């Protein structure tokens, strides 16, 4: 009788029901896939570059001499932001218009070099920086604009307090463009006005959900 009962019983494998080990393995794979997806968004490959790629700290363009000043600003989370400001050595006025360039995801302030000639050629200065979690700045993760807007506010406050900037424009691409949009929303909520004078928003996300 014992033998017939054993022969007539059906194992979990035969019935197709996953046993504990198979279930654990399945959820482990699911969890690993989820973690990889999240990391691909908040911890994309970090742009790695040498400072030499930013160009010389002093150079000539259009018959005028310019300089690049590198500096470190601290954001509200205590993370160091690596920044660069390109401006003329002989200023036609004490305060000049400034464009703040906001780079995209997996990028860095190097991206701002594409706008350097246009900004300098029109009599503006250019300020570019690595957002927290990007390039050479501190931080392990990016937030696709949410915390980056606070980085932008630190930069704008610095420029406004420098006494060398008349008006400020923000030029953002991809994540940088979304950062600009979120910064505007925060401006309206906190100040009921805009703290920057203009924005160029290149390829922002179509949906925040």
């Amino acid at each position: 009788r014992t033998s017939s009962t054993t022969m007539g019983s059906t194992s979990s494998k035969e019935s197709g029901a996953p046993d504990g080990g198979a279930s654990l393995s399945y959820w482990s794979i699911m969890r690993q896939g989820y973690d990889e997806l999240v990391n691909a968004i908040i911890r994309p490959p970090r742009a790695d570059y040498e400072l030499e790629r930013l160009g010389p700290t002093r150079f000539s363009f259009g018959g005028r001499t310019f300089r690049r000043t590198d500096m470190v600003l601290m954001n509200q989370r205590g993370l160091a932001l690596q920044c660069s400001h390109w401006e003329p050595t002989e200023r036609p006025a004490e305060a000049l218009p400034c464009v703040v360039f906001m780079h995209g995801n997996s990028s860095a302030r190097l991206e701002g070099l594409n706008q350097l000639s246009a900004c300098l050629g029109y009599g503006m200065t250019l300020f570019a920086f690595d957002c927290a979690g990007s390039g050479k700045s501190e931080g392990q993760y990016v937030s696709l604009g949410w915390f980056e807007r606070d980085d932008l506010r630190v930069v704008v406050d610095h420029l406004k307090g420098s006494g060398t900037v008349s008006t400020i424009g923000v030029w953002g691409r991809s994540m940088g463009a979304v950062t600009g949009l979120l910064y505007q929303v925060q401006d309206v909520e906190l100040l009921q006005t805009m703290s920057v004078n203009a924005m160029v928003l290149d390829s922002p996300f179509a949906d925040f959900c």
Side-chain angles (χ1 to χ4, degrees):
R1 178 178 299 177
T2 302
S3 176
S4 63
T5 302
T6 303
M7 291 176 62
S9 63
T10 305
S11 69
S12 61
K13 291 183 180 180
E14 291 172 336
S15 65
D19 59 18
S23 177
L24 179 61
S25 176
Y26 171 78
W27 286 110
S28 297
I29 294 174
M30 288 291 292
R31 177 59 185 270
Q32 181 181 358
Y34 175 79
D35 290 343
E36 290 177 354
L37 175 61
V38 171
N39 286 330
I41 297 173
I42 65 174
R43 181 57 281 159
R46 185 186 289 261
D48 185 22
Y49 63 93
E50 299 298 328
L51 286 178
E52 288 75 14
R53 292 185 60 189
L54 292 172
T57 56
R58 191 181 181 91
F59 59 97
S60 295
F61 173 73
R64 301 173 62 192
T65 303
F66 298 86
R67 67 170 178 267
R68 187 192 85 235
T69 303
D70 299 327
M71 67 193 77
V72 177
L73 298 178
M74 303 298 295
N75 70 6
Q76 297 173 349
R77 293 179 291 155
L79 300 174
L81 306 177
Q82 300 295 328
C83 314
S84 297
H85 194 183
W86 289 265
E87 51 192 337
T89 54
E90 296 183 6
R91 306 175 70 89
E94 182 177 356
L96 298 174
C98 179
V99 171
V100 179
F101 183 81
M102 299 294 301
H103 64 76
N105 199 9
S106 294
S107 189
R109 56 182 156 167
L110 280 173
E111 196 178 330
L113 294 176
N114 296 324
Q115 283 70 41
L116 183 60
S117 60
C119 292
L120 299 184
Y122 280 103
M124 299 176 286
T125 69
L126 177 68
F127 194 103
F129 67 100
D130 296 345
C131 293
S134 300
K136 294 187 175 298
S137 289
E138 293 181 344
Q140 294 300 315
Y141 304 102
V142 299
S143 62
L144 302 180
W146 184 257
F147 287 116
E148 286 78 8
R149 64 177 176 176
D150 296 329
D151 297 345
L152 176 57
R153 190 164 302 280
V154 169
V155 169
V156 171
D157 288 346
H158 163 77
L159 293 173
K160 284 181 172 289
S162 68
T164 63
V165 173
S166 57
T167 54
I168 299 175
V170 173
W171 189 330
R173 188 191 69 81
S174 189
M175 182 182 78
V178 174
T179 300
L181 288 171
L182 293 176
Y183 180 90
Q184 283 186 326
V185 172
Q186 194 178 58
D187 258 1
V188 173
E189 292 176 347
L190 298 179
L191 308 175
Q192 286 75 53
T193 186
M194 291 297 300
S195 60
V196 298
N197 303 91
M199 285 193 174
V200 176
L201 305 175
D202 178 5
S203 308
F205 311 141
D207 197 332
F208 291 99
C209 299

